[in-house]
C-alpha cells in the first residue's frame, strides 16, 4: 500500500522560505511522478509542482514559477519543495501526491492516484 507522509509546514512571514518534504513508501514501480497540490477552504485543489523520477522532468504552476523548486532523492523516495519569496496568497494546506503512471505536467490532478495528508503553510503579511 502506497503511503505518503508530508512534513515541513508552518508559519512564515511574507518573503520568507519553507521547505516541505514528502516521503513515499510502498511504491513498487521505478518510474512515477510525485509532487504537490495546495488547497484553501472553498476552493478547488490546485496543482503546484511535480517531478518524474525517471528523467527528473518537472512541472510548476505559473503562480509558483521562479519561487518554488522541487527536487527528489530517489534513494529515499522523498520529494522536497523549497518555497522561497513566499506570499500571503501561498497560504494553503499543501498535499503530496503521486501518479504511478508517471505523468507530471499541467492537468496531472486528473491522474493522481495517491494522496498524502496535508500540511498547513501560513504566510503572514
Amino acid at each position: 500500500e502506497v503511503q505518503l507522509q508530508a512534513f515541513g509546514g508552518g508559519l512564515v512571514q511574507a518573503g520568507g522560505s519553507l521547505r516541505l518534504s514528502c516521503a513515499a513508501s510502498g511504491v513498487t514501480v521505478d518510474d512515477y511522478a510525485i509532487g504537490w497540490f495546495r488547497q484553501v477552504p472553498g476552493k478547488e485543489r490546485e496543482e503546484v509542482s511535480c517531478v518524474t523520477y525517471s528523467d527528473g522532468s518537472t512541472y510548476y504552476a505559473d503562480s509558483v514559477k521562479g519561487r518554488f523548486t522541487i527536487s527528489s532523492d530517489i534513494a529515499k523516495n522523498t520529494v522536497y519543495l523549497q518555497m522561497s519569496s513566499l506570499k500571503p496568497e501561498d497560504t494553503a494546506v499543501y498535499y503530496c501526491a503521486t501518479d504511478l503512471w508517471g505523468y507530471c505536467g499541467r492537468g496531472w490532478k486528473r491522474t493522481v492516484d495517491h494522496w498524502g495528508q496535508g500540511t498547513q503553510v501560513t504566510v503572514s503579511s
Side-chain angles (χ1 to χ4, degrees):
E1 180 187 355
V2 174
Q3 292 191 332
L4 304 173
Q5 193 124 36
F7 305 93
L11 172 64
V12 64
Q13 286 190 329
S17 299
L18 274 177
R19 189 175 84 153
L20 304 182
S21 303
C22 175
S25 60
V27 179
T28 57
V29 296
D30 293 330
D31 176 17
Y32 66 100
I34 186 168
W36 298 91
F37 291 78
R38 65 188 182 186
Q39 189 171 25
V40 298
K43 291 193 175 181
E44 282 193 18
R45 198 164 291 189
E46 174 191 21
E47 297 167 353
V48 175
S49 181
C50 57
V51 60
T52 303
Y53 273 135
S54 61
D55 59 7
S57 59
T58 58
Y59 162 77
Y60 295 95
D62 290 342
S63 57
V64 306
K65 268 182 194 172
R67 301 188 298 121
F68 290 11
T69 302
I70 194 166
S71 61
S72 59
D73 184 330
I74 297 175
K76 294 182 179 179
N77 265 356
T78 300
V79 64
Y80 306 96
L81 186 69
Q82 179 66 46
M83 305 184 293
S84 302
S85 302
L86 283 161
K87 305 174 182 180
E89 51 264 44
D90 294 317
T91 295
V93 177
Y94 283 69
Y95 295 89
C96 181
T98 61
D99 174 352
L100 299 186
W101 290 99
Y103 176 68
C104 167
R106 191 179 302 275
W108 79 293
K109 180 181 174 182
R110 297 190 297 270
T111 58
V112 163
D113 42 46
H114 294 87
W115 295 96
Q117 91 284 7
T119 184
Q120 177 71 45
V121 171
T122 303
V123 184
S124 63
S125 56

